[in-house]
Amino acid sequence: MNIIDAAVRTAFVAVWFVGSWTTEVTADWPSWRGADDHGSVAEGTYPVVLNEAAIQWRSPLPGKGCSTPILYNGNLYVTAPLDGKDGILSIDSSGAQRWITSFSTEVSGKHRNGSGCNASPVTDGETVFAYFKSGTFAAVALDGTQRWTTNLVERFGEDKRFWDHGTSPVLTQDNVVVARMHAGDSWLAAFDKETGELVWKVDRNYDVPKECDQCYTTPLVIKHSGREAILVWGAEHLTIHDASDGKEIWSCGDFNPEGNMLWPAIATPVIVDDVAVICFGRNDRGVPRLHGIRLDGSGDVTESNHVWFRDDIGTFVPTPAVHDGRVYIVRDKGEVECIDPATGETIWSDRLPKNRANYYASPLIAGGKLYAAREDGVVFVVGINDSHFELLSENDFDEPVIGSLIPGADRLFVRGEKHLFCLAATDEAKRQEARP
């Protein structure tokens, strides 16, 4: 189905409503993959068919961006360029724009699916933090007031990744943390959330084959040995750093013993219990790698903490999702794998309809359904459990979808290249789902 018809494409409206907004959105999604970094939410009733009847509103965006929105206290925050400048935009629960705050000149993307605002914002409930390809690193209050800004390219040098940055900032108790892993001096740095002042900055440099030092992953804030820590994947190493000073307290290597070149790290790890699942290799070129790494111990654990390894499945760009203790991988061409993270064994595998287009967005699991967005704007809805895969619907948004979908309170938000969509299950669908 084609969600944006010709009449809507020619209409001059700021926001177009279908149906009515009946409940206030209260569920929060404060960062790219949600509060627990799993890309999933267990509770809620979410739409199965993403058609006109399901659309609550569509709100136009001021420019091309590929980041994922975040949601806090019913309001959405998303990065997008405005008149050639980096910007953070806020949209309320009715689809109306609350405010937009712009900064320095945007640096546009190189890749067809890239932009100057690939990285997703993050919020602690008081401030929204965002990082842009231009180097602008900014903090704004929830009313759009700028709190502080700095430029990390001007301070620490040019970003030398081949493609557009994608690493999102993350929050510890006191700081906002950014990683840059590229073909140059690589580092992990923490900035005071209140002032933007640099708290610590540590080097993260490794001698690896060409392009393997270039990384687009997002760090994860975890607990390690009872203290707050930051897990970082990239440059063929998984490391854990003390959140208070950035000191490396744990490391694991040996992810590319053959010395393959042109293997950047793109998919962010997921953690289930004490095992990190690492997607590496070049699944897009038929050379996947998948690793299970135990996160206990300290120091260099390379020899002891590789739990399992597979060279037949993996993903290059989309980050997996976690649901009910299982890891769900949507591969770059639409193959779907459900695996046991403790053993790496496949529980089931299937695939979405074949197409030349790839998957760049990371999958969302909401209310027991998996949502997978293809780069051409087709979004699939899949019923999942421990034993099977059931394709429930195929929906065309008629514009590219690169950012990941996010859930609200019984709402689904889809960031297209031109619009932000809000969808909900119809009343009839809710009645059918409630039947025993």
Side-chain angles (χ1 to χ4, degrees):
M1 69 192 72
N2 187 321
I3 288 187
I4 305 179
D5 59 21
V8 173
R9 283 198 295 266
T10 57
F12 183 75
V13 291
V15 179
W16 188 61
F17 295 91
V18 177
S20 60
W21 185 270
T22 56
T23 60
E24 186 71 20
V25 175
T26 55
D28 294 334
W29 193 265
S31 59
W32 170 47
R33 297 301 279 159
D36 60 3
D37 297 311
H38 280 177
S40 67
V41 59
E43 303 299 325
T45 301
Y46 299 94
V48 173
V49 179
L50 311 183
N51 58 10
E52 291 287 356
I55 297 177
Q56 302 300 293
W57 49 258
R58 49 164 62 79
S59 184
L61 298 170
K64 179 182 178 180
C66 300
S67 61
T68 296
I70 59 172
L71 176 68
Y72 183 78
N73 197 28
N75 295 313
L76 293 139
Y77 303 89
V78 62
T79 57
L82 174 68
D83 298 329
K85 293 185 176 182
D86 297 325
I88 303 175
L89 170 72
S90 180
I91 296 172
D92 70 15
S93 60
S94 73
Q97 180 178 308
R98 298 174 63 229
W99 49 260
I100 186 166
T101 301
S102 59
F103 308 97
S104 60
T105 302
E106 176 202 15
V107 174
S108 58
K110 294 180 183 178
H111 193 276
R112 70 180 187 278
N113 290 330
S115 71
C117 49
N118 280 4
S120 300
V122 63
T123 185
D124 60 0
E126 297 181 357
T127 305
V128 176
F129 304 89
Y131 182 62
F132 301 87
K133 184 177 179 179
S134 65
T136 295
F137 185 32
V140 299
L142 298 189
D143 64 2
T145 303
Q146 183 174 308
R147 289 191 163 171
W148 53 260
T149 184
T150 187
N151 190 293
L152 303 188
V153 169
E154 293 175 359
R155 293 178 67 173
F156 305 128
E158 178 186 1
D159 189 328
K160 296 182 180 180
R161 279 172 279 207
F162 288 169
W163 299 108
D164 308 305
H165 82 105
T167 301
S168 300
V170 298
L171 298 176
T172 65
Q173 181 175 342
D174 299 317
N175 301 318
V176 54
V177 177
V178 178
R180 181 193 287 174
M181 296 173 281
H182 65 153
D185 180 34
S186 297
W187 44 260
L188 181 71
F191 300 81
D192 185 276
K193 289 192 292 188
E194 297 294 326
T195 66
E197 294 296 319
L198 180 65
V199 177
W200 52 256
K201 178 173 173 282
V202 295
D203 291 339
R204 197 180 184 282
N205 295 304
Y206 296 95
D207 183 14
V208 295
K210 182 179 179 181
E211 201 180 354
C212 295
D213 52 2
Q214 301 191 32
C215 311
Y216 305 84
T217 61
T218 293
L220 301 175
V221 179
I222 65 172
K223 288 288 186 182
H224 182 73
S225 299
R227 55 181 169 174
E228 190 178 40
I230 304 161
L231 182 142
V232 184
W233 161 240
E236 300 180 4
H237 287 76
L238 188 67
T239 57
I240 298 177
H241 304 257
D242 192 311
S244 65
D245 58 10
K247 181 181 178 181
E248 182 184 293
I249 55 180
W250 181 101
S251 68
C252 185
D254 198 27
F255 290 90
N256 183 17
E258 302 91 354
N260 293 286
M261 296 191 295
L262 311 181
W263 280 17
I266 299 180
T268 293
V270 290
I271 300 172
V272 183
D273 295 328
D274 203 29
V275 173
V277 176
I278 309 294
C279 300
F280 195 35
R282 291 300 299 257
N283 181 68
D284 63 326
R285 299 180 181 178
V287 194
R289 296 288 187 270
L290 195 64
H291 300 260
I293 307 297
R294 198 172 66 249
L295 297 180
D296 59 357
S298 61
D300 187 345
V301 299
T302 300
E303 297 298 321
S304 60
N305 283 34
H306 281 262
V307 179
W308 54 261
F309 165 73
R310 295 184 64 170
D311 62 4
D312 60 331
I313 64 169
T315 181
F316 185 47
V317 176
T319 290
V322 177
H323 174 65
D324 279 350
R326 303 290 188 238
V327 172
Y328 292 82
I329 301 170
V330 174
R331 302 175 66 182
D332 303 82
K333 283 296 184 181
E335 304 94 335
V336 183
E337 305 274 347
C338 173
I339 70 165
D340 181 343
T343 64
E345 295 178 356
T346 294
I347 297 169
W348 57 256
S349 63
D350 213 307
R351 69 161 301 123
L352 299 166
K354 290 185 178 181
N355 190 278
R356 294 178 63 183
N358 291 330
Y359 291 77
Y360 285 81
S362 299
L364 167 71
I365 297 176
K369 294 178 282 290
L370 183 147
Y371 296 84
R374 205 168 60 199
E375 63 176 321
D376 59 357
V378 174
V379 178
F380 296 96
V381 184
V382 176
I384 56 172
N385 60 33
D386 276 355
S387 62
H388 78 284
F389 163 111
E390 180 185 5
L391 182 61
L392 301 176
S393 70
E394 177 177 338
N395 314 272
D396 189 352
F397 279 75
D398 199 38
E399 60 186 86
V401 177
I402 308 302
S404 304
L405 280 64
I406 71 166
D410 292 338
R411 296 292 185 268
L412 191 69
F413 298 98
V414 180
R415 193 256 175 87
E417 185 174 286
K418 299 178 181 178
H419 300 84
L420 181 61
F421 299 85
C422 173
L423 303 99
T426 62
D427 290 341
E428 176 59 27
K430 290 179 181 178
R431 285 194 292 270
Q432 291 180 2
E433 191 163 313
R435 291 172 186 167

